[in-house]
Amino acid sequence: MTSATYPVVVYGANGYTGRLVMEHLRDLSVPFIAAGRNREKLEAACKLVPGIENARYEIAVVENTADDLAKLFAGRKVVCNTVGPFMRFGSPVVEAALRAGVHYLDTSGEQHWVMKLRDEFSKDFAKAGLALIPSTACMYGLSEIGARYCLETPGVDTLDMTEVAQAVPTVASAQTILDAVRYSSCYLQDNELVRYPGIETCDIVTPSNRVLKASNWGGTSNPIWFAQDGRVRNCKMSVAMWNQELYKKELELERAYKVQFQWIPDNQLYGILDAMATAITPGTPPRERRQVHRSIDVCVGTGNNVMVKSTMIATGGYFTTGLIQAYAARRLVSETPRKVGFASPSEVFGHREIMGALQSYGYAAIKVEPLV
């Protein structure tokens, strides 16, 4: 199995998101390795991928250790890591990617993991000429695109961002939501990352004038990206779900963690959190329906005398994640990334280019309008 034959590794290929990454890699004619810990689950997952009979792929069984993963990654170009929660399972994958000399993509939305990559791995990846790109996903790759359209207006220095999503979280996503409550998150205010005191809620108004309760939802990765951008002084994002019960569950867990759970060792706490996650999502959810699972991302960019607004509607958050991962992997197989080390998807691949890929599949559309 040479790099030229199978240059991309989809790690966690038997999961819900992994299947969608493979589906889009197949559609983009990119050969791949479907990797995970259980051959039977991998084989069953691959059979569910539409058009898999026309894909060029191999199955590889591997343990979640840096040594085993580095052996698998040797000679490849890119790893698409879909195995979360990333704070639990991600470090061996990143270490193996660095050791094997491959670019790293993941689907994380959790701020604490993104900051860990920035602080612990960025310099080594940059020195090796490798890209380290978390959040290559609907959360928060789409919202970042809208923000960068706003930044095309000279003078914009403040990004006020909101997202409304309709989704049934996967098992790993539900675990990630609960894990994130344990970590404080931040927003960008006057060039500094400021910690939230806890989960912050607010009311937002959708473009159709519905009022929904939103939360900081783990801070999102956008304040981290734009803290590195000299044009941006302030960046804050709130996320609402059409299913308003999800934010209530988030608040309930925060209270439970502060009162009951914070003193419990991780090896015991993970079992409790996973049981709570199962109550949210007991198993793999059904495949998304594009007529149902839609999201709206709005960014208002302001400066001293300018104001601009981007509005993006997208369909199928997990579909868009599969496409963004596959598109990014294809680019990295074929070209030298425009930025190495820790970087956002739009920094490496271009926000307009990613938007073009989404539009070509009918997954998203965007409108940018000056308000002042």
Side-chain angles (χ1 to χ4, degrees):
M1 297 187 295
T2 66
S3 172
T5 305
Y6 302 106
V8 176
V9 177
V10 181
Y11 185 51
N14 57 290
Y16 186 97
T17 304
R19 296 205 310 261
L20 288 164
V21 175
M22 292 191 293
E23 178 179 335
H24 288 86
L25 285 170
R26 171 260 174 194
D27 202 48
L28 294 173
S29 299
V30 179
F32 59 88
I33 300 290
R37 293 188 300 170
N38 185 299
R39 178 170 290 276
E40 289 183 1
K41 290 182 178 180
L42 288 166
E43 290 175 347
C46 288
K47 289 178 182 178
L48 296 175
V49 175
I52 193 66
E53 64 275 7
N54 294 324
R56 291 171 54 198
Y57 75 101
E58 292 282 349
I59 289 175
V61 178
V62 63
E63 292 299 317
N64 192 60
T65 67
D67 287 343
D68 285 353
L69 288 165
K71 293 176 184 177
L72 175 64
F73 296 167
R76 315 291 163 201
K77 290 290 187 72
V78 187
V79 56
C80 299
N81 183 16
T82 69
V83 180
F86 293 94
M87 283 296 285
R88 293 197 220 174
F89 306 119
S91 290
V93 191
V94 184
E95 292 170 10
L98 178 62
R99 196 184 304 177
V102 303
H103 302 294
Y104 174 89
L105 306 170
D106 74 30
T107 57
S108 63
E110 54 267 41
Q111 198 176 82
H112 48 283
W113 171 250
V114 173
M115 295 173 77
K116 179 181 175 71
L117 293 181
R118 178 197 65 187
D119 296 342
E120 297 183 14
F121 294 99
S122 181
K123 289 183 179 178
D124 289 337
F125 268 75
K127 185 177 180 180
L130 300 171
L132 176 66
I133 318 172
S135 293
T136 309
C138 61
M139 298 180 81
Y140 295 92
L142 297 185
S143 53
E144 185 203 355
I145 292 170
R148 293 195 181 277
Y149 271 94
C150 288
L151 285 170
E152 292 179 355
T153 298
V156 168
D157 67 3
T158 296
L159 303 171
D160 186 1
M161 308 171 70
T162 61
E163 179 178 276
V164 183
Q166 176 73 34
V168 177
T170 64
V171 174
S173 293
Q175 291 173 331
T176 297
I177 292 167
L178 302 187
D179 268 15
V181 173
R182 303 168 58 216
Y183 301 93
S184 59
S185 58
C186 59
Y187 58 97
L188 183 64
Q189 179 177 290
D190 204 15
N191 300 317
E192 294 186 7
L193 289 170
V194 178
R195 294 286 180 183
Y196 288 98
I199 294 176
E200 180 181 282
T201 62
C202 64
D203 292 324
I204 66 170
V205 181
T206 72
S208 59
N209 293 319
R210 281 192 60 184
V211 178
L212 299 174
K213 188 70 73 175
S215 77
N216 54 298
W217 208 254
T220 84
S221 52
N222 285 300
I224 311 303
W225 302 138
F226 293 113
Q228 303 181 131
D229 191 321
R231 297 171 294 177
V232 181
R233 291 177 50 246
N234 308 291
C235 177
K236 196 172 188 179
M237 184 170 181
S238 300
V239 179
M241 294 292 173
W242 291 113
N243 177 3
Q244 291 277 274
E245 293 302 314
L246 286 177
Y247 95 87
K248 294 177 184 178
K249 291 181 182 294
E250 187 187 20
L251 290 175
E252 289 171 3
L253 179 69
E254 182 191 39
R255 295 189 196 100
Y257 179 72
K258 289 181 176 178
V259 174
Q260 298 174 272
F261 299 150
Q262 62 178 307
W263 298 279
I264 300 176
D266 281 353
N267 61 341
Q268 300 175 35
L269 181 60
Y270 285 148
I272 297 171
L273 294 177
D274 288 350
M276 297 176 73
T278 300
I280 298 173
T281 304
T284 301
R287 186 178 174 86
E288 287 176 315
R289 294 172 56 197
R290 293 178 60 187
Q291 288 78 12
V292 173
H293 296 101
R294 294 171 178 164
S295 64
I296 303 169
D297 280 280
V298 176
C299 178
V300 176
T302 58
N304 286 341
N305 54 14
V306 294
M307 180 178 288
V308 62
K309 178 181 179 181
S310 67
T311 305
M312 182 191 299
I313 186 164
T315 179
Y318 289 99
F319 285 135
T320 59
T321 295
L323 174 59
I324 294 171
Q325 282 272 317
Y327 173 80
R330 185 180 71 172
R331 292 277 301 272
L332 290 170
V333 166
S334 304
E335 64 188 57
T336 300
R338 64 181 69 177
K339 184 174 181 180
V340 294
F342 175 78
S344 75
S346 287
E347 286 179 299
V348 177
F349 306 109
H351 61 285
R352 286 182 171 271
E353 288 87 343
I354 300 174
M355 191 68 216
L358 293 167
Q359 288 173 319
S360 72
Y361 274 73
Y363 285 177
I366 192 168
K367 179 180 180 181
V368 184
E369 52 189 322
L371 300 181
V372 174

